[in-house]
């Protein structure tokens, strides 16, 4: 019951935000010079005026902005995301096709960044101001300061072109048509470099937060008490320090979900992955408003869901945070 | 020696096998030049996805590079740029130039098994090329009807004479035929066959995974017997240019056509022994870097100022240092490879001459003012390729030297087109012009007045000349090739004199291909041709 009411309140708060995001974006995009017909004509290298006019009618671009915004919101109420001008099919279908790649990439990158960041952060905190700490912190700084497209291209150059160990791009082997375990391995093999590329910058953030948080919690009274009780060092670290130090990490997890979607635009373009990020980028370039709004809608939903899960995790980690006030 | 029956059979089997296999073994080892090998998968780089994979609705190299393998045109160009038969086997124009009769190939079937007939051509010409196809609507503007006296004859009737050469050269790009029975009675723009094409070509469409790849495989019932040689073609969609180069270097793709890589990578790959970097096979796809003037600015309406601008920019320096030498200074709107129209003895009309530029500006009354500046201009780059921002910067620096301050306004593709061609919000603009085999197809629209605002790559500059308008109209319906060439020579002379647009460079598209790929220049528009005779070395 408590869970349901929390979920309900969350949703009620999120809905107006969603509508504002979509309407705002719709209006903002009206300010962008050029529309989908301009982009289309650009793609084919020119056209004559009658055809351009006919296309504008076809995509309902001859209507006023307010009419089109009204139309869009009305359709949204019926859970209809509209028709994509680039792909010539419903936006919902296009997004469903692209979602798995992005979810896989985001999931694996977040998991890697979180797990490795936590482990390195703990090691750094335990060996603070000694060489492992210095080494890890320096590495973290490098990861944080390097743009991900550069990491991606260097990864391709070293591991795909020079060493030939990993594929240079794509989401799977074309034409091999694998099934079962070999399909999973094939996708994992293709996702290795993109995951690493996307994860490194987040790994650096988690590492620093974990290190700082561990050091801070270690100075608190209850840790001193635990030590005074004669608990072993390992028990103090895992049961007392780590659990409390995890809270800011989990907060960050929710916040990073949105940033990660942004980062995946670059990674998906560099590695030719068929994901939402690249879809969003292409929709902007092609002025495909419906698809772009659809992507934003789904991304916003994703971020809302992830934050909701994070809230639930909070309650598990720290019972003092009560979800049901 | 007496042979048992069994031994005889065995030995004759062995003999038969040896008769069969040596050529096979021979074919697998070093082969005689020109003997094609069957089999293999050709992987092709595709730099951008297309909304519609239907060349009878969308004329664009991005569409052709995929669909021309699946869907065929009435005619194509051979290695010398001459028109050769494909679905049409013969053609004849009437004396008045208003009727063109095509004989169509017999025994051709669509990939879905139905026969190809004149009714298909009739439907494509009237319903698709004339109504929807960009450039096709212009080419077929005066098409009134297509008669089909029998199943393999199509008679095109025009209300005004149309030069046969213009029609045929146009049809190589604008004459693709899709099946009538699939499109008739549907909303043609939304037809599912637009992304799952059905044609008569050497390859059959198999699968299109958006954002990933397109696959086509050998058509076993293709009318050119024993062709195609390749088993399949896979187009891999790689939008990032550096990633595409990596895909070439790792062997993921064997071909990247239409200069879709960075200029630096093209230059680097040209020194790699595994690849050929060439413009051979792309001669029919010429393009120019352009400089467009907005005549609504009073300074630019003065021909002396336009000439001064052209004199101030060193095209050869730009080509050598920014384009890695790929190209040469243009001599006018018709490129030198267009032998049917290129005026003999053409030379660069406004060679680099800074002193002359300054003198012209002074003469026009724009003396250097405070800080040595005469006036300032807003430059919009239409970002077709990485060379456009480079040229924009080069123009900015070159004009600064003669006292003209240039501010560059950056837009994306759609935004730049809207700014220049819809809102006329620019002083000078730079982009590409593409030449399509005949000046009437897409060159003269840059000069002909009367185009409504919003049509890109048409005369939106506020420039108007009755003389040029008349030359353009006359040349488009002049059926005598000699007179036609003379009209275009006159046109070139006039626009070089008036300089409404300056063509800075003349360039060709480059392909990067694996050395294994054979027969890759059997047409002057090879990346857009059917690849029926392309094959891969083992």
């Amino acid at each position: 019951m408590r869970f349901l009411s929390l979920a309900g309140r969350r949703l009620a708060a999120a809905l107006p935000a969603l509508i504002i995001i979509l309407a705002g974006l719709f209006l903002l995009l009206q300010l962008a010079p050029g529309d989908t017909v301009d982009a289309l004509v650009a793609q084919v290298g020119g056209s004559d005026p009658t055809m351009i006019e006919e296309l504008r009618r076809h995509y309902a671009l001859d209507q006023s902005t307010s009419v089109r915004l009204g139309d869009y919101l009305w359709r949204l109420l019926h859970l209809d995301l509209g028709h994509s001008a680039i792909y010539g099919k419903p936006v919902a279908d296009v997004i469903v096709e692209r979602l798995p790649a992005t979810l896989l990439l985001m999931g694996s990158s977040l998991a890697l960044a979180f797990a490795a960041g936590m482990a390195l952060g703990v090691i750094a905190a335990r060996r603070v101001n000694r060489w492992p700490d210095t080494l890890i912190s320096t590495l973290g700084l490098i990861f944080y300061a390097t743009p991900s497209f550069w990491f991606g291209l260097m990864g391709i150059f070293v591991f795909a072109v020079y060493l030939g160990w990993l594929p240079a791009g794509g989401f799977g082997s074309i034409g091999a048509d694998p099934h079962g375990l070999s399909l999973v391995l094939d996708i994992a093999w293709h996702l290795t470099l993109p995951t690493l590329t996307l994860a490194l910058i987040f790994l650096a953030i988690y590492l620093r937060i974990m290190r700082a948080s561990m050091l801070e919690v270690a100075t608190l009274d209850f840790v001193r008490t635990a030590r005074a009780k004669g608990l072993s060092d390992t028990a103090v670290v895992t049961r007392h320090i780590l659990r409390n130090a995890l809270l800011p990490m989990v907060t960050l997890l929710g916040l990073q979900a949105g940033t990660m979607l942004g980062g995946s635009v670059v990674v998906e373009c560099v590695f030719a992955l068929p994901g939402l990020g690249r879809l969003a980028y292409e929709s902007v370039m092609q002025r495909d408003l419906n698809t772009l709004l659809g992507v934003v809608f789904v991304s916003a939903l994703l971020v809302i869901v992830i934050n909701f899960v994070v809230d639930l995790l909070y309650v598990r980690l720290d019972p003092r945070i009560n979800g049901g006030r | 020696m007496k042979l048992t029956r069994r031994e005889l059979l065995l030995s004759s089997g062995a003999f038969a096998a040896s008769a069969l296999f040596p050529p096979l073994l021979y074919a697998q080892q070093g082969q005689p030049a020109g003997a094609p090998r069957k089999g293999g998968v050709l992987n092709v780089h595709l730099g951008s996805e297309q909304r519609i994979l239907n060349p009878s609705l969308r004329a664009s190299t991005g569409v052709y590079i995929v669909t021309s393998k699946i869907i065929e045109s009435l005619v194509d160009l051979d290695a010398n740029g001459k028109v050769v038969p494909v679905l049409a086997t013969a053609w004849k124009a009437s004396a008045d130039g208003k009727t063109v009769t095509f004989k169509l190939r017999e025994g051709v079937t669509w990939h879905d098994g139905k026969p190809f007939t004149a009714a298909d051509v009739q439907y494509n010409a009237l319903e698709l090329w004339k109504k929807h196809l960009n450039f096709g609507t212009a080419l077929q503007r005066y098409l009134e009807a297509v008669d089909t006296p029998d199943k393999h004859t199509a008679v095109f009737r025009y209300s005004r004479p149309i030069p046969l050469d213009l029609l045929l050269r146009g049809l190589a790009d604008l004459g693709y035929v899709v099946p009538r029975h699939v499109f008739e009675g549907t909303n043609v723009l939304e037809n599912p066959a637009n992304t799952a094409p059905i044609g008569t070509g050497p390859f059959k469409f198999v699968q299109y995974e958006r954002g990933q790849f397109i696959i086509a495989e050998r058509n076993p019932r293709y009318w050119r017997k024993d062709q195609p040689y390749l088993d399949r073609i896979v187009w891999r969609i790689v939008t990032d240019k550096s990633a595409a180069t990596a895909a070439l270097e790792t062997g993921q793709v064997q071909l990247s056509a239409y200069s879709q890589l960075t200029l630096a990578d093209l230059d680097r790959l040209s020194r790699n022994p595994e690849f050929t970097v060439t413009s051979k096979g792309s001669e029919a796809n010429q393009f120019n870097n352009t400089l467009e003037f907005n005549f609504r600015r009073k300074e630019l309406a003065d021909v002396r100022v336009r000439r001064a601008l052209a004199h101030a920019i060193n095209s050869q320096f730009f080509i050598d240092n920014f384009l890695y030498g790929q190209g040469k200074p243009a001599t006018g709107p018709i490129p030198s490879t267009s032998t049917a129209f290129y005026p003999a003895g053409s030379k660069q009309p406004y060679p680099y001459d800074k002193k002359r530029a300054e003198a012209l500006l002074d003469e026009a009354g724009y003396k250097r003012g405070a800080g040595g500046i005469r006036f300032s201009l807003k430059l919009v780059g239409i970002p077709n390729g990485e060379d456009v921002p480079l040229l924009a910067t080069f123009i900015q620096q070159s004009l600064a030297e003669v006292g003209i301050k240039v501010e560059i306004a950056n837009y994306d593709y759609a935004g730049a087109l809207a700014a220049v061609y819809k809102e006329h919000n620019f002083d000078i603009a730079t982009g590409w012009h593409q030449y399509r085999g005949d000046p009437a197809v897409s060159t003269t629209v840059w000069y002909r007045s009367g185009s409504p605002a919003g049509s890109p790559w048409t005369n939106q500059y506020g420039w108007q000349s009755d003389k040029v308008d008349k030359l353009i109209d006359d040349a488009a319906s002049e059926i005598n090739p000699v007179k036609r060439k003379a009209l275009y020579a006159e046109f070139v002379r006039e626009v070089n004199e008036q300089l409404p647009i300056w063509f800075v460079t003349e360039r060709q598209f480059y392909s990067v291909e694996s050395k294994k790929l054979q027969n890759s220049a059997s047409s002057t528009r090879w990346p857009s041709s059917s690849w029926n005779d392309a094959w891969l070395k083992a």
Side-chain angles (χ1 to χ4, degrees):
Chain A
M1 226 27 234
R2 204 191 245 179
F3 172 77
L4 277 182
S5 89
L6 179 67
R9 276 193 293 127
R10 273 312 182 109
L11 200 65
L15 266 180
L18 254 183
I19 303 276
I20 292 169
I21 290 172
L22 289 176
L25 189 64
F26 188 98
L27 294 173
L28 259 181
L29 281 170
Q30 302 305 316
L31 298 178
D35 58 26
T36 190
V37 173
D38 288 324
L40 185 140
V41 169
Q43 194 183 48
V44 297
S47 181
D48 52 283
T50 45
M51 187 185 142
I52 290 171
E53 222 169 278
E54 190 211 335
L55 282 169
R56 287 231 154 75
R57 256 198 312 282
H58 180 77
Y59 293 113
L61 290 169
D62 49 350
Q63 316 257 327
S64 73
T65 307
S66 51
V67 169
R68 284 187 297 132
L69 178 60
D71 263 6
Y72 185 78
L73 292 176
W74 178 245
R75 271 188 285 116
L76 205 60
L77 285 182
H78 300 88
L79 295 177
D80 174 10
L81 290 175
H83 208 77
S84 158
I86 318 179
Y87 294 107
K89 52 185 172 183
V91 170
D93 293 2
V94 178
I95 288 176
V96 166
E97 279 169 17
R98 295 296 187 100
L99 205 52
T102 297
L103 285 183
L104 261 179
L105 179 65
M106 268 181 72
S108 52
S109 303
L110 263 183
L112 176 71
F114 190 84
M118 183 171 83
L120 289 173
V122 170
I123 295 171
R126 300 273 288 143
R127 304 268 185 281
V128 68
N129 292 337
R130 285 195 303 217
W131 71 265
D133 178 33
T134 315
L135 180 71
I136 290 171
S137 298
T138 312
L139 267 183
L141 199 65
I142 292 173
F143 292 163
Y144 186 70
T146 315
S148 54
F149 73 87
W150 191 82
F151 261 130
L153 290 175
M154 285 303 117
I156 290 177
F157 178 71
V158 174
F159 294 103
V161 177
Y162 187 66
L163 295 169
W165 293 348
L166 291 165
F171 191 52
S173 304
I174 297 169
D177 210 14
H179 293 284
L181 186 66
S182 62
L183 176 71
V184 174
L185 287 177
D186 187 49
I187 292 179
W189 188 54
H190 278 85
L191 275 183
T192 310
L193 269 182
T195 302
L196 268 173
T197 307
L198 185 57
L200 282 178
I201 195 166
F202 296 96
L203 188 154
I205 298 169
Y206 287 128
L207 180 166
R208 295 189 68 80
I209 297 288
M210 192 66 203
R211 178 177 173 277
S213 169
M214 284 282 286
L215 290 176
E216 191 199 332
V217 177
T219 62
L220 296 182
D221 286 347
F222 68 86
V223 176
R224 197 172 307 142
T225 312
R227 288 197 200 281
K229 281 195 299 187
L231 279 184
S232 73
D233 198 40
T234 321
V236 173
V237 169
T238 52
R239 293 191 37 211
H240 290 80
I241 304 182
L242 192 60
R243 184 160 177 171
N244 285 288
L246 268 179
L247 273 178
M249 291 280 281
V250 174
T251 316
L252 210 60
L253 201 64
L255 289 174
Q256 298 284 1
T259 322
M260 203 156 235
L261 270 172
S264 70
V265 176
V266 174
V267 173
E268 284 169 10
C269 286
V270 168
F271 288 98
L273 293 175
L276 277 190
R278 214 172 108 203
L279 183 66
Y281 175 75
E282 279 159 14
S283 324
V284 174
M285 296 312 282
Q286 305 245 23
R287 302 285 191 273
D288 185 357
L289 195 56
N290 278 349
T291 307
L292 186 61
L293 288 169
V295 172
V296 170
F297 181 73
V298 170
S299 313
L301 276 184
L302 261 180
V303 172
I304 289 170
V305 169
I306 291 172
N307 277 290
F308 182 64
V309 173
V310 165
D311 283 355
L312 293 183
L313 266 179
Y314 263 23
V315 184
R316 283 285 297 145
L317 281 173
D318 189 345
R320 285 173 303 176
I321 302 170
N322 191 342
R325 271 163 312 191
Chain B
M1 194 174 81
K2 198 172 168 232
L3 284 171
T4 63
R5 216 160 86 172
R6 189 192 182 92
E7 278 169 335
L8 184 74
L9 275 173
L10 271 175
S11 68
S12 65
F15 178 73
S18 70
L20 270 175
F21 284 116
L24 212 78
L25 287 172
Y26 186 50
Q28 272 161 1
Q29 295 153 3
Q31 33 201 305
R37 185 185 75 107
K38 273 216 169 192
V41 179
L42 177 60
N43 292 283
V44 184
H45 166 219
L46 201 58
S48 68
E49 266 178 284
Q50 297 292 326
R51 303 187 191 201
I52 286 184
L53 289 181
N54 182 348
S56 59
L57 286 178
R58 294 284 176 270
S60 146
T61 50
V63 176
Y64 300 143
I65 196 171
V66 178
T67 54
S68 59
K69 310 347 169 219
I70 300 162
I71 297 167
E72 288 180 300
S73 183
L74 289 180
V75 295
D76 203 350
L77 305 178
D78 70 3
N80 301 315
K82 222 179 102 234
V83 176
V84 288
V86 183
L87 285 179
T89 53
W91 42 81
K92 195 172 175 295
S94 66
D96 65 356
K98 288 185 174 176
T99 311
V100 182
T101 308
F102 287 96
K103 277 281 168 216
L104 302 177
R105 193 172 293 281
E106 297 183 28
V108 176
T109 50
W110 295 105
H111 293 156
D112 62 7
K114 299 222 165 59
F116 159 78
T117 68
D120 292 307
V121 175
Q122 183 188 42
Y123 175 78
N124 276 267
L126 293 172
E127 297 298 320
L128 305 180
W129 306 344
K130 190 176 160 67
K131 286 191 184 162
H132 297 286
L133 181 64
N134 49 320
F135 301 117
T137 49
L139 183 71
Q140 307 291 0
R141 178 164 300 140
Y142 302 106
L143 178 67
E144 281 189 322
V146 177
D147 299 334
T148 54
D150 65 65
K151 277 190 159 183
H152 300 289
T153 308
V155 182
F156 285 50
R157 285 198 282 115
Y158 292 89
S159 60
R160 278 177 55 168
I162 183 163
L164 184 62
D165 279 345
L166 163 62
L167 180 65
L168 290 172
R169 265 191 293 266
L171 285 181
D173 272 345
L174 307 171
Y176 282 90
V177 189
V178 294
R180 178 178 193 152
H181 61 270
V182 172
F183 281 86
E184 192 165 33
T186 67
N187 177 349
V188 292
L189 291 179
E190 303 288 339
N191 194 299
N194 285 334
T195 46
I198 298 168
T200 57
F203 296 91
K204 279 165 85 163
F205 173 80
V206 177
Q207 192 190 359
Y208 184 1
E209 280 294 326
R210 281 283 176 178
Q212 296 191 66
F213 56 82
I214 304 171
I215 299 178
E217 65 181 18
R218 178 208 305 275
N219 171 11
R221 297 170 61 190
Y222 187 50
W223 56 267
R224 280 180 175 119
K225 300 294 173 226
D226 297 324
Q227 285 186 350
Y229 300 122
L230 298 167
D231 282 340
R232 8 172 85 188
I233 302 173
V234 177
W235 292 266
R236 286 170 184 261
I237 297 151
V238 184
T239 43
D240 186 271
K241 291 184 174 192
S242 307
T245 307
L248 271 166
E249 291 186 288
T250 55
Q252 266 190 338
V253 300
Q254 284 93 42
L255 171 70
S256 175
Y258 293 127
S259 302
Q260 290 186 89
L261 304 178
T262 61
L263 292 163
D265 278 336
L266 280 178
D267 188 55
R268 187 167 59 84
L269 289 172
S270 69
R271 288 190 295 271
N272 185 326
E274 285 176 42
F275 299 100
T276 313
V277 178
T278 178
S279 60
K280 222 168 170 277
S282 302
E283 295 89 341
N285 286 294
Q286 283 280 337
F287 67 101
N288 305 85
N289 289 99
T290 59
L291 178 60
E292 291 117 271
F293 308 102
N294 192 346
F295 282 70
R296 295 165 190 90
R297 268 292 294 253
K298 70 168 173 21
E299 293 92 336
L300 295 173
D302 188 331
V303 69
R304 288 170 294 190
V305 173
R306 300 196 296 278
R307 287 176 185 160
L309 261 57
H311 276 304
I313 296 159
N314 189 345
S315 335
Q316 192 62 54
F317 183 89
F318 175 71
I319 292 163
D320 292 342
N321 294 284
F322 291 81
L323 304 179
Y324 296 87
Q326 299 171 13
K328 54 182 178 181
T331 58
I334 296 177
S336 55
T337 49
S338 181
T339 43
F341 300 104
Y342 188 66
S346 294
K347 55 183 199 295
Q348 207 183 351
Y350 300 97
Y352 176 60
D353 186 345
K354 230 165 61 179
K355 280 206 185 78
R356 177 103 190 86
E358 299 244 22
L360 279 166
L361 287 168
D362 286 339
E363 190 191 319
Y366 302 105
K367 303 251 188 256
R368 283 182 188 259
I373 293 170
R374 299 171 194 272
F375 54 90
S376 61
L377 296 171
K378 177 184 173 179
L379 169 63
V380 176
I382 296 159
N384 298 55
E386 60 171 319
D387 52 320
V388 172
L390 292 178
L391 181 57
T393 315
F394 187 68
I395 291 171
Q396 184 182 43
Q397 293 180 353
S398 304
L399 295 190
E401 289 186 17
V402 295
I404 299 170
K405 196 173 162 221
V406 173
E407 277 169 47
I408 298 176
N410 281 312
Y411 296 94
D412 70 351
Y413 208 175
L417 287 180
V420 174
Y421 292 103
K422 202 153 67 186
E423 289 141 23
H424 306 143
N425 179 16
F426 73 108
D427 295 323
I428 45 179
T430 179
W432 283 9
H433 157 262
Q434 219 179 112
Y435 184 80
R436 297 176 190 241
D438 193 297
V441 180
S442 63
T443 298
T444 51
V445 289
W446 288 65
Y447 299 90
R448 179 77 173 81
S449 66
S451 211
S455 349
W457 300 295
T458 61
N459 180 354
Q460 299 287 328
Y461 322 110
W463 181 71
Q464 209 265 328
S465 154
D466 291 335
K467 188 176 174 194
V468 168
D469 285 356
K470 186 170 180 320
L471 279 170
I472 289 170
D473 294 346
D474 290 349
S477 58
E478 173 56 62
I479 56 177
N480 179 340
V482 178
K483 280 191 193 153
R484 199 155 177 253
K485 184 173 179 173
L487 285 173
Y488 281 121
E490 177 66 27
F491 162 77
V492 170
R493 200 158 41 242
E494 185 64 20
V495 299
N496 273 352
E497 183 74 25
Q498 293 301 319
L499 205 67
I501 304 148
W502 184 42
F503 284 20
V504 185
T505 66
E506 174 185 316
R507 296 164 61 193
Q508 286 172 16
F509 283 114
Y510 279 79
S511 299
V512 182
E513 48 191 61
S514 158
K515 288 241 164 93
K516 286 181 183 163
L517 179 62
Q518 304 297 308
N519 273 355
S520 62
S522 57
S523 166
T524 50
R525 56 190 286 281
W526 185 78
S528 294
S529 75
S530 76
W531 297 359
N532 58 289
D533 61 350
W535 56 281
L536 283 166
K537 267 196 212 162

